[in-house]
Amino acid sequence: MNVFGDLLSGFGTVLEPQYLLYAAIGVTLGTFVGVLPGIGPALTIALLLPVTFNLDDPIGTFIMFAGIYYGAMYGGSTTSILLNTPGESASVATAIEGYQMARRGRARAALATAAIGSFVAGTISTLLLTLFAKPVASLAVEFRAADYFALALLAMVAVTALVGRSLVRGLISLSLGLFLGLVGLDELTGQARFSFGTLELLDGIDVVVIIVGLFAIGETLYVASRLGQLPDRVTPLEPARGGFGWLSRQDWARSWRPWLRGTAVGFPFGALPSGGADIPTFLSYTYERHRAKNKAEFGKGAIEGVAGPEAANNAAFSGVLVPLLTLGIPTSATAAVMLAAFQIFNVQPGPQLFDKSPELVWALIASLYVGNVLLLLLNLPLIRLWVKVLQIPRPILYAGILVFATLGVYAATNSVTQVLIAYGIGVLGFFMRHFEFPIAPVILGAILGPMMELQFRRTLVLSNGDLSVFVTRPLTAVLLGLVVVAVLVPFLPRIVARLRGRPATAERLAFGEDD
Amino acid sequence: MTDLRNAPGRLAASRPPGVPGRGTAGRRRVAALACVPLIAVAAAGCGDTGGAGGDSAAVKYPTRTIQLMAPAAPGGGWDSTARAMQKTLTDGKLVTESVEVTNVTGAGGTLGLSQLVTKNKGDAHHLMVTGLVMIGGVVTNKSPVNLGQTTPIATLTAEQEVVVVPANSKYQTLQELMADAKANPGSINWGGGSAGGTDQILVGLLAKAAGADPKAMKYVAYSGGGESKAALLSGDLTAAVSGASEYADLVAGGQVRALAVSGATGIDVGAGKPAPTIKESGYDVELMNWRGVVAAPGISDGERAAIIELVDKLHASEQWKQTLAAQKWDDFYRSGDEAKAYFDQESKRITDVLTEIGLAG
């Protein structure tokens, strides 16, 4: 296999001091960018594009960009865990258990499992990218609109566990998300929906705006409303163990399987041309919750619920590179900006990239391995710094969050209207917290809803309105079959019990009161 | 996708417009002397007086930072056009003042357009990159403002469109494809960029030229270039329409076959030899995805002449020629009245075809 030869020469390039420097700049920048709500890797790379145009060093540029992307995935977990304020959709699932861990004084362990999980997932998925990029890509483009619809439906059904304690509240939250996802131009017909005649709403409400509004702003308002009843400082911390003691033996034992499972979900999803990094995090969370021996701990800070999603979103990044490098198909906002960068340097990603620019591709892939190591080295010591954030007095801390959230939305959208929308959603988020509506289903609805609708209608346009396309292709039929299974499984014990003529036992439905 | 939006420049641009003018006015030489007091007092610069004074050639331009708006996210066609212009203007020392690129994202560029027409009215230092896509955006988004309300300056570049099919498709020529599209419109799944964009416009024009009903064409819109590529490869689409360079690697790699390009002369889109034009295939359709530049409305004739002169110089510069070659953009230069006539003519043609497709309702 000459893959290893190519990879070695890639390492040869990357380990030159100047490229190591690019990688270090990238991962550091990415980490900090990931920490700030609203400012994501796509924005950062877009801002740096004109600068790198002048650098005239494609290899260095892409090493840096990959570092930013990865770094942002590492950094994104930090605010989710410490402050319940995720900055992008791929960190929302992390916030659910991560923030509960932080509240119980386990912030260090949560940050450590996120960082180490990201490293494990990043390294394994890069290995998968190295070895299987082409076959994975040719499989991924087999997915048609009908399959994407089935996949979105499956995700929607599978993650109902996020609905939380009350089914009614959960469904109301989900509906709100579905509604927010509807706003703007309908992609297929170009007709405006719920835009109230304004140009500003034509592009819809950015998921980032919804997330920053609901989490950062909503949380701040909620904390402010209860300031009198809360202790002055955010959370007492467990004493540090010192040395390599971020995770206890038990934490390690509980983390490593979720890391691997998260990687297994994240990589293929990232590789799908309409996949993305957010759906696998929710799937991973749900799966870990189902598997957990101690289900009661979920919702109160289970480490598995942090380890899985964090691994999934990092694995998704290497997955995203598969269609980008082998077919020139960008599957995320960041990948789209990177594609633009490739074109600026007159490099056309696609089937011939590996033959035409092997030096660039293998240096980029090698830089992913190096970047992961750098990120681990950067992030583990940073934990000590990040947890200090929790010692900032609450009013100052949350005022700071509000400032960064506002700046983030403005920087990402360049529109005062969007900032106002974020605040409107923030007020909504406050009331949702006050009346105990779960927040995550809103994000789920806003992400999965438009995807389901669009792919469903696309399928019907393509098939001239013939619904049978959903069952005639094996792939679609299998996915839809899984949807049926996922819906029925929670009811199975009851059905079996009834068939045997016995009254239903204590088995609960998925949405049971204390699920 | 939308988290690409940003505009660092716009933050900087929000300072009072008179301030930078005052700082630089001291460095102006004789020709600008008359303007100096005016700049210090009024933000509009000296253009108004210059125009009213009769001799338009005497207008000094620019007298302060030029704000060049790209009405889309960084990384796209309008943005790269704006940044290439910025680089050429400043590196080539065509202006002594600086040029700032600002991104105003949204609604097919019409958000930027409405800002130029309403907020920047009468300010000659506000320019905007525009193009065919914006005309479509105005129509489909029912924008209250249109391109005719700006001051046309020039068209700069253009890219051809390409019609592609998967390598295993039965269609070898455009005629075969269009014959089926006419006889059985439901059997052809067209795909391309956003609804009402260049790609769908081309499908509509092709259908018209082939004698088919533009409204009956099944066109599926995809966001970004990647999604439609994946859809073509997966077998969802019969044919895809896109910018000529977009499919180059897949054509070269043999996964995709190019049937025709939309320009006046055939170009190589990856196959190693020029693809036939649509005209050569027997349909009287030519469509260039052109990009150009306009200025804010309500500026004086003298200011307009000065801006046109500046863009003429930009176009003539060696660096611009290099940029065109590097970005694989066709030179598509028309300036002044010619540009105005072209904008009007394209607006009519595009509005007509979008109405026939049923998107302008």
Side-chain angles (χ1 to χ4, degrees):
Chain A
M1 287 292 282
N2 58 1
V3 166
F4 294 101
D6 290 334
L7 186 62
L8 272 182
S9 71
F11 272 113
T13 313
V14 174
L15 293 176
E16 282 169 33
Q18 109 203 50
Y19 292 125
L20 271 181
L21 185 65
Y22 276 120
I25 293 173
V27 298
T28 313
L29 212 57
T31 304
F32 287 99
V33 156
V35 170
L36 297 176
I39 304 175
L43 181 64
T44 317
I45 292 177
L47 290 180
L48 284 174
L49 263 186
V51 181
T52 53
F53 199 28
N54 295 332
L55 275 179
D56 212 26
D57 180 357
I59 295 180
T61 302
F62 286 108
I63 289 175
M64 184 163 75
F65 285 176
I68 291 174
Y69 202 157
Y70 251 139
M73 287 296 179
Y74 273 76
S77 60
T78 308
T79 45
S80 309
I81 290 170
L82 295 178
L83 307 164
N84 199 18
T85 56
E88 19 97 40
S89 48
S91 305
V92 171
T94 309
I96 305 173
E97 293 304 314
Y99 180 58
Q100 296 303 329
M101 284 182 73
R103 280 183 59 179
R104 283 171 43 208
R106 309 235 311 125
R108 267 193 204 95
L111 289 171
T113 196
I116 300 170
S118 295
F119 170 75
V120 170
T123 305
I124 295 176
S125 60
T126 305
L127 197 65
L128 293 174
L129 169 72
T130 314
L131 297 175
F132 305 116
K134 286 197 171 166
V136 169
S138 52
L139 269 183
V141 291
E142 285 293 307
F143 272 66
R144 294 190 177 182
D147 308 321
Y148 281 118
F149 166 72
L151 200 63
L153 194 63
L154 180 61
M156 186 73 107
V157 172
V159 297
T160 41
L162 287 172
V163 162
R165 289 200 188 86
S166 154
L167 177 59
V168 176
R169 286 197 170 97
L171 289 182
I172 289 174
S173 288
L174 189 66
S175 309
L176 174 68
L178 291 173
F179 169 72
L180 290 175
L182 279 180
V183 176
L185 281 186
D186 166 39
E187 203 178 315
L188 279 183
T189 61
Q191 298 303 305
R193 300 192 289 200
F194 302 108
S195 70
F196 305 102
T198 61
L199 289 174
E200 278 84 2
L201 281 174
L202 276 187
D203 282 343
I205 304 175
D206 200 326
V207 177
V208 172
V209 172
I210 299 177
I211 291 171
V212 171
L214 278 181
F215 285 95
I217 299 173
E219 179 80 10
T220 304
L221 294 177
Y222 186 61
V223 168
S225 75
R226 301 189 314 158
L227 208 54
Q229 305 146 35
L230 292 168
D232 225 16
R233 297 282 147 82
V234 176
T235 324
L237 265 182
E238 271 184 350
R241 262 177 277 268
F244 286 98
W246 297 284
L247 294 175
S248 68
R249 183 182 294 267
Q250 197 202 358
D251 289 334
W252 281 100
R254 289 176 58 184
S255 290
W256 72 269
R257 284 191 197 85
W259 290 338
L260 297 183
R261 286 193 290 255
T263 310
V265 182
F267 182 74
F269 254 91
L272 284 178
S274 299
D278 29 40
I279 299 174
T281 61
F282 288 116
L283 285 176
S284 164
Y285 175 81
T286 316
Y287 188 73
E288 294 309 330
R289 192 183 169 130
H290 274 298
R291 295 248 344 174
K293 289 194 195 79
N294 187 2
K295 286 199 175 59
E297 203 189 341
F298 262 82
K300 300 189 186 74
I303 196 165
E304 293 92 341
V306 179
E310 268 310 300
N313 77 27
N314 266 61
F317 169 63
S318 310
V320 163
L321 286 181
V322 169
L324 180 68
L325 294 180
T326 57
L327 295 166
I329 295 176
T331 60
S332 72
T334 315
V337 186
M338 283 179 77
L339 183 65
F342 273 112
Q343 281 156 353
I344 284 178
F345 288 110
N346 229 343
V347 178
Q348 178 69 48
Q352 303 184 315
L353 182 68
F354 282 79
D355 303 327
K356 273 201 253 171
S357 318
E359 199 195 351
L360 174 70
V361 178
W362 290 107
L364 180 64
I365 293 177
S367 80
L368 298 181
Y369 292 99
V370 176
N372 264 307
V373 175
L374 289 178
L375 276 166
L376 192 68
L377 293 179
L378 178 71
N379 273 273
L380 285 179
L382 268 180
I383 290 176
R384 208 173 308 161
L385 179 71
W386 292 134
V387 293
K388 288 229 164 60
V389 167
L390 296 178
Q391 285 161 14
I392 301 172
R394 245 178 240 273
I396 298 170
L397 178 62
Y398 281 91
I401 292 174
L402 212 54
V403 169
F404 280 117
T406 311
L407 277 180
V409 173
Y410 187 78
T413 63
N414 191 20
S415 148
V416 177
T417 317
Q418 298 286 335
V419 175
L420 293 177
I421 292 173
Y423 271 82
I425 294 174
V427 172
L428 207 62
F430 164 74
F431 283 108
M432 288 179 69
R433 282 179 169 75
H434 187 76
F435 295 109
E436 291 175 6
F437 283 87
I439 307 286
V442 182
I443 309 300
L444 208 62
I447 293 170
L448 283 177
M451 181 173 167
M452 273 169 64
E453 188 215 342
L454 187 66
Q455 303 289 9
F456 181 72
R457 287 175 50 210
R458 233 177 228 165
T459 307
L460 288 185
V461 171
L462 294 169
S463 72
N464 293 319
D466 182 4
L467 280 166
S468 71
V469 283
F470 289 108
V471 289
T472 44
R473 286 187 80 227
L475 181 57
T476 327
V478 167
L479 286 170
L480 285 176
L482 287 174
V483 172
V484 176
V485 172
V487 172
L488 287 184
V489 159
F491 296 92
L492 224 52
R494 275 194 169 192
I495 295 168
V496 171
R498 190 157 302 167
L499 286 178
R500 288 186 183 168
R502 273 183 280 142
T505 46
E507 261 100 359
R508 287 172 282 105
L509 297 185
F511 300 131
E513 201 48 39
D514 50 356
D515 194 35
Chain B
M1 281 292 165
T2 34
D3 59 330
L4 303 178
R5 310 173 201 171
N6 80 98
R10 203 164 159 222
L11 282 170
S14 59
R15 67 192 166 210
V19 175
R22 195 184 305 143
T24 47
R27 277 186 266 121
R28 305 260 128 261
R29 276 188 276 269
V30 192
L33 272 181
C35 308
V36 173
L38 240 173
I39 304 158
V41 179
C46 62
D48 290 337
T49 6
D55 184 9
S56 58
V59 172
K60 178 74 186 169
Y61 182 90
T63 52
R64 56 188 170 81
T65 302
I66 294 177
Q67 302 292 342
L68 180 57
M69 185 210 296
W78 285 337
D79 180 64
S80 39
T81 306
R83 292 190 194 277
M85 286 175 71
Q86 175 193 36
K87 205 163 171 342
T88 311
L89 285 174
T90 50
D91 288 5
K93 304 268 186 297
L94 297 176
V95 288
T96 43
E97 307 293 334
S98 56
V99 179
E100 268 176 20
V101 173
T102 63
N103 295 80
V104 179
T105 314
T110 52
L111 213 54
L113 176 67
S114 82
Q115 186 175 318
L116 185 79
V117 169
T118 53
K119 284 195 195 143
N120 305 328
K121 192 175 177 183
D123 187 342
H125 288 82
H126 278 274
L127 307 180
M128 180 181 76
V129 175
T130 184
L132 181 73
V133 176
M134 188 178 285
I135 294 180
V138 167
V139 177
T140 48
N141 296 338
K142 301 177 187 68
S143 161
V145 290
N146 62 56
L147 204 57
Q149 285 166 267
T150 63
T151 307
I153 300 297
T155 60
L156 287 168
T157 66
E159 277 181 280
Q160 302 210 17
E161 292 269 296
V162 65
V163 181
V164 294
V165 294
N168 59 6
S169 163
K170 62 174 174 171
Y171 300 110
Q172 298 293 333
T173 65
L174 187 63
Q175 284 102 324
E176 293 169 19
L177 179 68
M178 292 316 294
D180 270 11
K182 188 182 173 186
N184 186 5
S187 70
I188 310 286
N189 289 324
W190 296 93
S194 59
T198 318
D199 305 338
Q200 190 174 12
I201 290 170
L202 182 63
V203 174
L205 290 171
L206 262 177
K208 257 173 87 171
D213 177 11
K215 222 180 199 140
M217 294 297 113
K218 265 169 42 184
Y219 180 88
V220 180
Y222 293 87
S223 65
E227 253 197 315
S228 59
K229 262 188 215 171
L232 186 75
L233 293 176
S234 77
D236 264 343
L237 296 178
T238 323
V241 181
S242 175
S245 58
E246 191 109 9
Y247 277 92
D249 210 60
L250 287 174
V251 172
Q255 278 103 324
V256 159
R257 182 162 59 244
L259 296 185
V261 290
S262 68
T265 50
I267 52 163
D268 179 17
V269 286
K273 59 177 177 21
T277 64
I278 292 175
K279 272 203 169 140
E280 286 162 8
S281 309
Y283 307 98
D284 188 18
V285 174
E286 221 181 280
L287 184 73
M288 296 298 281
N289 185 9
W290 53 268
R291 301 191 187 100
V293 60
V294 295
I299 63 172
S300 73
D301 290 347
E303 285 168 326
R304 174 169 172 260
I307 300 172
I308 291 171
E309 197 191 320
L310 179 66
V311 178
D312 279 340
K313 271 192 228 158
L314 166 103
H315 171 251
S317 72
E318 200 48 44
Q319 191 175 358
W320 186 251
K321 293 193 176 87
Q322 286 167 12
T323 307
L324 291 178
Q327 298 269 15
K328 297 199 181 67
W329 289 333
D330 285 4
D331 191 6
F332 200 68
Y333 197 65
R334 291 167 168 76
S335 72
D337 294 340
E338 247 184 279
K340 185 179 177 353
Y342 187 72
F343 286 174
D344 291 346
Q345 171 203 331
E346 283 284 273
S347 289
K348 183 172 178 329
R349 175 166 83 131
I350 301 311
T351 310
D352 285 353
V353 70
L354 286 173
T355 311
E356 280 175 62
I357 295 173
L359 278 173

